[in-house]
Amino acid sequence: MEDNTLQGEESDDEWFYESIRRYDDLLMYDVQGDIGCATFYDNSKVLLGVSRSSLHELWLLSVPDKLLLAGRSAGLVKNRDFNLVAAGYTSGSVKKVVRVGSSVVVAEEGGIHLYSIPQSNNPSDVISLTSTLIRGAEGEVALAVSEAGRVYAGDTLSNLTQLDISSENTHKPIEFPVTFQGSDKISEIKCVGHKVFICSRCKGSVLILDQRTDSFVQEVQVQKDTSGLWTMDANQDDIVALASSCGSVSVHDLRHTHKEIYSHNVGSAHTSSQKVTVHLSPSDPLLSVAGFDKTVEIHDYLCGESDGKVFCHDGHRGQDVQGIVTHMWHPAQKKLLFSADDTGKLNAWRFKLPPNM
């Protein structure tokens, strides 16, 4: 496999010219604030949680047409930058956001709130607070939304709750067997089909619920070494990817007795506060992982090799950059990702795979 990581200290000019060979698209956007989280509102819009000193905001940005019209083959495109569509103030810094219809559920410092997003027929460009769902939330709350619009929220197994927004914000605590009851911290929740995947932050295990009954189905113990802090992603094919702050990255096929189909060590996170993120491509057998340095690595998890790294995005440059805050795959465009660093820079990039792939 090709390792596209550039070696040594390059000048910006050298890096720019080399990037022409390595990327089909590369856009850089300065938010001029701290980015707390990012997610897609739809295929053409991105939601960002942005903080500036004591001011906290939720932004809705339009994705440049250049990225949505087949990259360079689209020729000259008028809209080549991100544009602010709507924005609103939040009471605290935004840690997580998920879309539910025309609204979004936002986990902030101190609570979980419901905000209304103005629609195309609404002349307003203000994202407005609709209601408070949970007050006094502590820690970093994990959020996920099902296809039926049910929102799962919680930072530990003991306070994991289902919020049915369509039923006057009904709270429904999730019951686990006695062996799992307690304060096990949750790092990530993912709703796929009829299943809810819940990652134990400290144990590296994954709990699975049946959405139709909200009943516990099974625990998947896929890790022998549980050191570090863990996160995960899952897809509709029962493929689960896990990554720990100690550098362990693995992919498991739950359809075949939890078979491990890929394993690699990418090196430990530089600081204990660095947030590790891992995501599966929605269209290809690829995963992305970040949080260990200033880069986002792309791995082919069906390569059959111990090191399946096929690309390394190193566009978050500069001495002030300490690491990647978050990253995500575009839900419909192949090989297109968005990543944000801790200096408020948002990159959108479409990478090239090695010729033999």
Side-chain angles (χ1 to χ4, degrees):
M1 292 297 177
E2 176 185 357
D3 182 357
N4 285 319
T5 305
L6 300 182
Q7 301 297 322
E9 293 294 329
E10 295 179 298
S11 70
D12 287 341
D13 287 341
E14 288 174 329
W15 182 86
F16 173 76
Y17 287 118
E18 180 67 12
S19 71
I20 295 174
R21 178 184 68 85
R22 301 171 60 228
Y23 296 88
D24 280 329
D25 282 304
L26 177 59
L27 297 180
M28 299 180 178
Y29 184 72
D30 190 354
V31 173
Q32 298 182 348
D34 295 328
I35 299 174
C37 70
T39 191
F40 283 97
Y41 181 75
D42 56 29
N43 288 351
S44 62
K45 298 182 187 68
V46 173
L47 281 162
L48 293 182
V50 179
S51 295
R52 295 186 189 86
S53 187
S54 60
L55 290 178
H56 309 289
E57 299 170 293
L58 189 63
W59 289 11
L60 183 65
L61 295 177
S62 63
V63 176
D65 288 342
K66 173 178 169 53
L67 296 174
L68 304 178
L69 298 174
R72 292 175 180 171
S73 63
L76 295 176
V77 178
K78 182 178 180 181
N79 179 11
R80 301 172 64 88
D81 205 352
F82 291 92
N83 290 307
L84 188 63
V85 177
Y89 290 111
T90 60
S91 58
S93 60
V94 177
K95 303 299 184 182
K96 195 81 172 181
V97 57
V98 295
R99 178 181 179 179
V100 185
S102 61
S103 300
V104 291
V105 177
V106 178
E108 307 170 21
E109 289 180 328
I112 300 177
H113 307 279
L114 184 68
Y115 289 84
S116 176
I117 304 293
Q119 301 303 292
S120 57
N121 59 353
N122 188 336
S124 174
D125 59 0
V126 177
I127 299 175
S128 55
L129 177 65
T130 301
S131 61
T132 297
L133 306 177
I134 297 178
R135 297 183 185 275
E138 298 181 359
E140 188 155 337
V141 176
L143 284 179
V145 60
S146 70
E147 296 176 358
R150 296 176 178 175
V151 176
Y152 294 84
D155 64 337
T156 66
L157 292 182
S158 59
N159 64 20
L160 181 61
T161 303
Q162 181 202 114
L163 307 174
D164 190 345
I165 306 303
S166 64
S167 302
E168 299 180 354
N169 307 330
T170 299
H171 293 206
K172 180 182 177 183
I174 306 299
E175 296 293 335
F176 289 92
V178 175
T179 53
F180 299 115
Q181 291 177 1
S183 59
D184 284 356
K185 290 187 177 297
I186 297 171
S187 64
E188 195 65 55
I189 306 173
K190 181 81 173 186
C191 295
V192 184
H194 296 304
K195 294 180 179 179
V196 183
F197 296 84
I198 305 163
C199 183
S200 173
R201 181 174 177 81
C202 299
K203 294 182 179 179
S205 60
V206 177
L207 306 181
I208 302 176
L209 302 180
D210 188 328
Q211 284 187 39
R212 294 164 292 189
T213 60
D214 280 329
S215 59
F216 173 76
V217 177
Q218 66 181 128
E219 179 184 25
V220 180
Q221 283 283 4
V222 295
Q223 294 301 326
K224 297 177 182 178
D225 179 10
T226 58
S227 58
L229 301 177
W230 292 86
T231 187
M232 64 120 214
D233 193 16
N235 66 18
Q236 67 274 9
D237 295 321
D238 272 357
I239 300 296
V240 173
L242 287 122
S244 88
S245 58
C246 290
S248 174
V249 176
S250 58
V251 181
H252 308 263
D253 189 340
L254 304 188
R255 298 166 298 183
H256 303 289
T257 62
H258 313 157
K259 179 183 178 182
E260 182 180 279
I261 56 178
Y262 182 69
S263 179
H264 184 61
N265 193 293
V266 297
S268 61
H270 288 178
T271 65
S272 59
S273 61
Q274 189 71 45
K275 183 179 179 181
V276 174
T277 52
V278 62
H279 297 294
L280 294 165
S281 165
S283 57
D284 298 297
L286 301 171
L287 70 84
S288 55
V289 60
F292 300 97
D293 50 25
K294 302 178 184 183
T295 68
V296 182
E297 291 187 2
I298 307 297
H299 291 248
D300 174 8
Y301 61 79
L302 293 183
C303 67
E305 300 178 11
S306 59
D307 184 359
K309 184 168 67 173
V310 295
F311 193 85
C312 182
H313 172 62
D314 54 357
H316 294 275
R317 301 171 60 80
Q319 294 182 349
D320 293 337
V321 178
Q322 297 300 310
I324 305 299
V325 176
T326 187
H327 76 280
M328 55 188 179
W329 294 80
H330 191 279
Q333 295 280 331
K334 280 180 171 288
K335 299 182 294 182
L336 177 61
L337 293 94
F338 292 64
S339 54
D341 63 41
D342 55 359
T343 67
K345 301 296 191 303
L346 177 66
N347 287 187
W349 42 284
R350 193 191 316 268
F351 63 94
K352 292 181 179 179
L353 286 172
N356 59 331
M357 293 193 65

